[in-house]
Amino acid sequence: FIGSGIENAIFADGATTTGEHTFNGTGLKSVTLVSTQTVIGACAFMGCDKLETVYLPTTVERIERQAFADARKLSVVGGLDRAEYIGDGAFMNTALTSITLNKAKYIGYAAFSAERSKLQTVDMPIVETIGSYAFRNAKMATQSLPATLKTLGAGAFDNAQNLSGVTFPGGN
């Protein structure tokens, strides 16, 4: 469907993965994923510039690289709090303002980076790895990092001009 004018997609019961580049650059406005899906493939919804809202089923564990990159109007992703793995550039250049990543252990390189980021709040209570430039240009004023954090990539909060304070594990 790459580059097609398709506007709506409803997945059939039993589908477990949204394949790589499936809807890349389409006119997709809405998508209905099913409860059997566990993976959103690389670049699956990349460049879907009309897509504003996505609701992920509770079964999605992995969002692969650039899955929603350059979906510039994407401002709501329901169910994101259940994903354990957020790949490199997965939500790069989207319009997200707030994210909760309750189960995420890995946030990849430039995962939420944006040229004109609107991201103001990030909750990631058990993350272990935050990749380089993961939150580049984000707008948050403060950020708490959990005691579970093992790796903080170079420039993870690069150019986050509103960031005035970071609380590290143990309160340091």
Side-chain angles (χ1 to χ4, degrees), residues 87-101:
D88 295 349
F91 293 93
M92 183 169 41
N93 294 322
T94 60
L96 296 172
T97 58
S98 178
I99 55 173
T100 300
L101 305 169

Side-chain angles (χ1 to χ4, degrees), residues 93-161:
N93 294 322
T94 60
L96 296 172
T97 58
S98 178
I99 55 173
T100 300
L101 305 169
N102 287 334
K103 291 189 176 183
K105 293 183 180 180
Y106 179 88
I107 299 171
Y109 172 89
F112 295 94
S113 172
E115 295 163 7
R116 292 178 182 88
S117 180
K118 297 178 181 182
L119 190 58
Q120 295 177 17
T121 59
V122 178
D123 185 20
M124 47 189 167
I126 65 167
V127 72
E128 295 176 0
T129 300
I130 298 174
S132 296
Y133 306 105
F135 300 101
R136 186 166 198 265
N137 295 324
K139 302 296 183 211
M140 72 273 285
T142 62
Q143 184 63 53
S144 293
L145 301 175
T148 55
L149 186 65
K150 296 176 184 173
T151 305
L152 181 61
F157 296 93
D158 182 52
N159 205 35
Q161 295 180 353

Side-chain angles (χ1 to χ4, degrees), residues 11 18 31-41 44-45 51 53-64 67-68 74 76-86 90-91 96 99-101 112:
F11 284 77
T18 305
V31 61
T32 302
L33 303 170
V34 293
S35 63
T36 52
Q37 288 186 288
T38 58
V39 177
I40 306 296
F45 300 96
L51 189 60
T53 304
V54 171
Y55 293 100
L56 303 175
T58 59
T59 51
V60 171
E61 297 172 353
R62 293 180 64 91
I63 300 171
E64 299 293 347
F68 294 94
L74 183 61
V76 175
V77 180
L80 185 58
D81 60 322
R82 297 178 208 85
E84 296 176 13
Y85 177 93
I86 311 292
F91 293 93
L96 296 172
I99 55 173
T100 300
L101 305 169
F112 295 94

Side-chain angles (χ1 to χ4, degrees), residues 18-33:
T18 305
E20 291 188 12
H21 299 279
T22 303
F23 298 101
N24 189 335
T26 66
L28 200 63
K29 292 180 180 178
S30 70
V31 61
T32 302
L33 303 170

